[in-house]
Amino acid sequence: MKAMEVIAQVQQVLGVELPLMAFFEEPTIAHLAAVLEELTSTQAPTVPQSLVIIPGRKEFPLSYSQEVFWLLEQQNNNSGLYNTARVLRLHGNVDPFNLERALNEVRRRHEIFQVRFVLGNDGPIQIVDPGAPLTLEVIDLSHLEAAARSEAARLQTLNVVREPLDLETGPPLRARLIRLTATECILAMAIHHVVSDGFTGSILLDELRAVYDAFAADLPSPLPEVEVHFTDFAAWQRQTLTPARIEADLDYWRPTLAGVPTSVDLPVDHANSSSADREGHLRTTTLSKESLSSVQALAQANGTTLFTILNAAFRALIYRFSGQSDFLIGTLSSNRSHPRTERMIGCFVNSLPLRNPISEDQTVRDLVAREKTAVMNAFAHQDCPFPKIVEAANPERSASDNPLFNVALLYQSYPAISVQGQHWSADDANFDAEIGLLDLRFITFETSAGLKINCEFRSAVFEIETVDKLLAAYTEVLMEIAANPAMRVAEIALPQDLATRAADHARKRHRQTLTITANFTADPIVEPLAYWMDELRIPTQIELAPFDQIFQQLLDPTSLLARNADGANILFLQWRDGHAPGSQARELASALKSAAARGGAPIIVCICPPEVSGEEEILAAELVGQAGVHVLYPREI
C-alpha cells in the first residue's frame, strides 16, 4: 500500500509510473532513482488529471466500489448486511449533548455522510442532502446487575448495527450511546459500507475526539475545512478510469483466472446450508509479539511483506484442511494511493482474488516466492473494478454475494481505532455483529500484544469450536514456517482432530467412476443413478460405454471398463434368443474372469429378466469365488 502511494505521488510530480516490482527488487532510494531515470528517458510524461473540488455540485456518480455495495444492498434490501459496525468503548466523563454536537460537526465536514442514493436516468447517483441533524439516542443501563447489563448492552448494540439503513432517504449512518456506569459507555454506530471503509473508522474517531474536546471547552472546531470530498473522488475516478485503462488490467486478470475454481470445498460442519444464509459470528486469537517478530523476519529474509507471509500461511492451512490445491483467496486493496485521499472518509476498497496453486512438494520458501509474485501482480492491477474482474473470470451464477471466492484474508494497516482525549478515551470493542458474508474471512492487524487475528464465519457452515481450532492451527502454521522455511508443504501439520476431518473429507470428495455397459439401450439409467449418488453424497462420474459392447469392454485392455481403477463397472445383461442354454453364460463367465484378473474396480453383473430359464444359475456357478465379480439376480435389482 505504501508503495502504491509513492507510485501515485511520483506520477503526479514527474509524470512517470514506477512499476511495483521496483520496490521489491532492491528496496533503496538509489534503486528507485535509477529506475526512474531509465523510465524518464524512454517514456513521455503523463501527468494524471488532478483531483479537485467541484464548487456547488450536489449530484455525483458512484465510485466503482460504491456501485458494488449499492447493488448488494438492492439484492439484500432491508437486511442490514452491509452496515459497518463501529462500536467503541468510551472510558471517562462523556457528555451526550457535546457528543451529539461533535457527531453532527463531523457529518457536516464530510459530504459523504450527507448523501442519499437514488436511481437516475443512467443508473444510481448520490445526492448531497444534509437533511435533519443526527440524533444520538441515549440508553442508560447502569441500574442493571453486571450480567444483565452486559447482555442488554449487547442486544442494544446489535440492534443499532443490524437495523437496515435507508440509502434513498438517508442518512447512511446512525448512533446510540449506551451508558453502563458513570464512567463507562458504549458508542454504537452503524455506517453503511457504501460510504465507509476500514480507514474511515480511524479518521472518524480521531476527528470526533478533537471536536468533542473543543466543544466541551466552548471552543469552535479546531479542524480545517475539508478541501476535497469523496464525492469529488467518485466523479474523478469515473473520468480517469477509462475503458482503455480497465482493459489493460483485464489483460492480466483474464489469463490469471482462466479455469480457476471459484470456491474451496471445505470440510464443513453443515454441508446442506443455504448460501443465502448470512448469519455468522466473530472469533479472535492473538499471535504473540515474539512469534510475530519471527514471521516478520521471514518476510524480510525473503524480500517481501508481512501480508505475503500471512497469505502463504493461510493458503497452506486451507490446502491442508481441504485438500484442494488450486483456489482463490480474496483480499481487499485500500485504493488510497492518491495523495489527497489519506484523510478522506469514503468507500475506497476493491476486492482482489489471489491465485497461487500449491503442491505438497513445494518448500515454504517456494510457496512464499510464488505468493509474493501473485500478490504484487494483483496489486499492480488493483484499480480494475471487481465486477470487471468477475466478468473476466466468467464464473457460474451463484446465490453467493461473492462469485469468486468463499475464503479471504485481510491485513488491516490503518491506524488503531483508539484515542485518548481530554475527557474520555476510546478503543474498538471488537463487536460481533453476527454476520458472515463468506465461509471464512480472516482479518489480521498488529497490536502492542502481537498480531490479532479475527475470523468472521458463516454459522450455517461452521461451528464455533471448529473455527477456534482453525485459528489455533493458523498461528501454529505461522510459527512452524517461520522456524523452518526449508520444510515442505506436506510437512506442515494440522492438529489431530482437524487432520482426521481433512482425511474424511478427502475420502468423501474423491470422485468415483461408474462405467455402465449393456447389451441393450441403458441410457435411461444414467439420470436416476446420478440422482441417487448425489442423495447418498457419493461423488461420482458416470461413463456410458457404446451400445452392445459387453465383451469388448471386458476383453479390451484400453476400454472404459479396463481403465476404471476406482469405483465400479456395471454390466446390464439381457439373455438373447438363439443361444443354447448355458453357452452364453459360460462365454461371459470366461470374459469376466479375464477382466477380473487384471484387477481394478469391481464388476457388478445385473442380470435383467431372463428369457431362457437357468442361464443366471449357470453364470453364478461359473463365478463362485471369483474375486471382483458380483452377480445380482432379478429379484435383487
Side-chain angles (χ1 to χ4, degrees):
M1 187 188 69
K2 292 296 183 185
M4 296 304 295
E5 289 179 8
V6 175
I7 289 170
Q9 295 204 36
V10 167
Q11 186 177 24
Q12 192 75 31
V13 176
L14 299 178
V16 176
E17 185 171 355
L18 276 167
L20 184 62
M21 182 65 76
F23 289 81
F24 295 90
E25 292 169 333
E26 183 184 330
T28 65
I29 293 175
H31 175 68
L32 293 181
V35 172
L36 271 173
E37 186 173 0
E38 181 180 351
L39 290 175
T40 52
S41 65
T42 59
Q43 293 183 9
T46 55
V47 179
Q49 180 179 336
S50 297
L51 173 55
V52 295
I53 196 167
I54 304 173
R57 184 172 181 176
K58 296 299 179 183
E59 293 187 8
F60 298 85
L62 274 61
S63 72
Y64 283 106
S65 297
Q66 284 184 299
E67 190 172 62
V68 169
F69 286 106
W70 182 85
L71 287 170
L72 288 172
E73 181 64 31
Q74 308 315 301
Q75 295 167 13
N76 300 275
N77 197 23
N78 294 321
S79 67
L81 286 175
Y82 300 98
N83 294 351
T84 304
R86 298 293 177 198
V87 182
L88 307 171
R89 284 194 171 273
L90 308 183
H91 311 276
N93 183 21
V94 180
D95 178 5
F97 175 73
N98 282 328
L99 185 58
E100 181 180 88
R101 289 178 62 208
L103 277 169
N104 278 292
E105 171 60 17
V106 172
R107 181 171 177 252
R108 183 200 66 79
R109 285 172 43 75
H110 298 279
E111 278 189 355
I112 194 62
F113 281 164
Q114 304 170 35
V115 297
R116 296 187 297 108
F117 294 84
V118 299
L119 196 59
N121 293 330
D122 299 318
I125 58 173
Q126 49 190 331
I127 300 173
V128 179
D129 180 7
L134 285 178
T135 299
L136 178 64
E137 184 182 7
V138 180
I139 304 293
D140 191 347
L141 303 177
S142 59
H143 60 283
L144 298 177
E145 296 289 335
R149 183 169 63 238
S150 178
E151 177 62 11
R154 186 188 72 82
L155 293 175
Q156 287 283 347
T157 303
L158 193 62
N159 177 260
V160 171
V161 301
R162 290 293 302 271
E163 185 179 342
L165 290 160
D166 191 326
L167 297 183
E168 187 170 353
T169 61
L173 72 164
R174 76 168 63 88
R176 178 178 296 170
L177 185 68
I178 304 168
R179 186 172 296 283
L180 304 177
T181 68
T183 58
E184 185 176 7
C185 298
I186 291 175
L187 176 59
M189 292 179 286
I191 308 175
H192 200 284
H193 216 325
V194 76
V195 300
S196 68
D197 59 10
F199 278 80
T200 292
S202 300
I203 299 168
L204 172 62
L205 181 56
D206 189 43
E207 291 195 358
L208 193 62
R209 184 269 313 160
V211 174
Y212 181 97
D213 284 348
F215 285 178
D218 290 328
L219 297 172
S221 169
L223 302 177
E225 288 298 310
V226 176
E227 294 182 358
V228 183
H229 296 278
F230 182 84
T231 45
D232 301 305
F233 171 84
W236 172 84
Q237 185 192 58
R238 289 288 180 170
Q239 291 175 347
T240 58
L241 198 54
T242 62
R245 285 191 58 190
I246 293 174
E247 188 61 31
D249 283 329
L250 290 176
D251 287 341
Y252 162 76
W253 287 112
R254 286 193 189 99
T256 298
L257 300 178
V260 67
T262 53
S263 65
V264 186
D265 184 10
L266 296 163
V268 299
D269 291 313
H270 308 290
N272 292 327
S273 65
S274 167
S275 59
D277 191 339
R278 308 296 197 277
E279 293 299 315
H281 281 296
L282 178 73
R283 303 297 289 178
T284 302
T285 191
T286 300
L287 182 72
S288 71
K289 197 170 185 178
E290 294 74 22
S291 296
L292 176 58
S293 296
S294 299
V295 175
Q296 290 169 325
L298 176 63
Q300 273 196 322
N302 287 272
T304 189
T305 61
L306 174 61
F307 172 72
T308 296
I309 303 299
L310 296 176
N311 218 63
F314 186 62
R315 193 176 299 278
L317 172 67
I318 296 297
Y319 166 66
R320 297 289 287 149
F321 187 48
S322 70
Q324 187 172 326
S325 60
D326 189 12
F327 54 89
L328 297 174
I329 294 177
T331 194
L332 293 177
S333 66
S334 71
N335 269 15
R336 287 177 174 264
S337 56
H338 193 281
R340 305 191 75 173
T341 60
E342 296 94 336
R343 299 288 299 175
M344 190 180 288
I345 286 178
C347 176
F348 289 88
V349 293
N350 191 38
S351 293
L352 297 178
L354 302 175
R355 185 180 190 181
N356 176 20
I358 186 173
S359 72
E360 60 182 16
D361 292 329
Q362 284 179 304
T363 66
V364 169
R365 285 196 184 94
D366 292 337
L367 173 61
V368 168
R370 289 171 59 89
E371 199 72 39
K372 171 183 172 181
T373 300
V375 169
M376 284 195 298
N377 286 338
F379 276 82
H381 300 89
Q382 66 172 327
D383 289 336
C384 188
F386 184 63
K388 299 294 184 183
I389 298 175
V390 173
E391 288 178 16
N394 192 26
E396 292 183 7
R397 293 182 65 86
S398 168
S400 170
D401 286 349
N402 197 305
L404 289 188
F405 47 80
N406 61 331
V407 299
L409 175 77
L410 279 56
Y411 175 70
Q412 296 185 339
S413 56
Y414 49 76
I417 300 180
S418 176
V419 297
Q420 179 66 54
Q422 297 176 13
H423 302 274
W424 44 260
S425 62
D427 52 65
D428 185 22
N430 202 40
F431 182 73
D432 182 1
E434 300 183 9
I435 290 176
L437 298 178
L438 298 178
D439 290 347
L440 292 172
R441 187 167 83 143
F442 279 39
I443 306 165
T444 63
F445 46 99
E446 294 181 60
T447 69
S448 58
L451 184 77
K452 192 171 184 179
I453 308 167
N454 285 341
C455 178
E456 292 176 2
F457 67 97
R458 290 179 57 217
S459 51
V461 174
F462 286 110
E463 295 289 342
I464 288 175
E465 293 78 11
T466 301
V467 172
D468 286 343
K469 291 171 184 175
L470 284 170
L471 282 168
Y474 183 53
T475 61
E476 290 294 328
V477 170
L478 284 168
M479 291 187 288
E480 203 172 1
I481 67 174
N484 186 11
M487 72 188 304
R488 294 189 310 121
V489 169
E491 298 169 335
I492 296 175
L494 286 178
Q496 186 56 51
D497 48 357
L498 292 184
T500 300
R501 175 183 286 207
D504 290 343
H505 181 66
R507 284 191 292 271
K508 291 177 181 177
R509 75 192 291 264
H510 176 68
R511 189 170 292 277
Q512 300 182 72
T513 300
L514 295 180
T515 65
I516 299 176
T517 306
N519 66 347
F520 57 89
T521 302
D523 301 59
I525 195 66
V526 174
E527 185 175 344
L529 185 58
Y531 169 81
W532 283 110
M533 292 298 100
D534 185 58
E535 284 292 300
L536 295 169
R537 298 181 189 173
I538 302 175
T540 308
Q541 61 180 3
I542 299 174
E543 298 184 353
L544 191 65
F547 170 73
D548 203 12
Q549 286 195 3
I550 286 181
F551 281 93
Q552 291 92 326
Q553 289 294 314
L554 289 172
L555 299 175
D556 183 355
T558 65
S559 69
L560 288 175
L561 182 149
R563 296 198 306 267
N564 186 12
D566 184 16
N569 296 303
I570 306 173
L571 271 60
F572 289 104
L573 176 66
Q574 189 175 54
W575 300 124
R576 298 285 179 84
D577 293 332
H579 288 76
S583 63
Q584 192 178 18
R586 291 188 180 94
E587 290 173 11
L588 183 61
S590 176
L592 284 165
K593 289 177 183 178
S594 297
R598 287 196 304 262
I603 302 171
I604 301 172
V605 182
C606 296
I607 303 174
C608 296
E611 296 177 12
V612 180
S613 177
E615 290 278 350
E616 72 274 11
E617 284 82 0
I618 295 171
L619 179 60
E622 290 283 339
L623 297 175
V624 169
Q626 181 67 46
V629 179
H630 311 274
V631 180
L632 298 181
Y633 294 100
R635 59 184 173 273
E636 296 172 338
I637 297 177

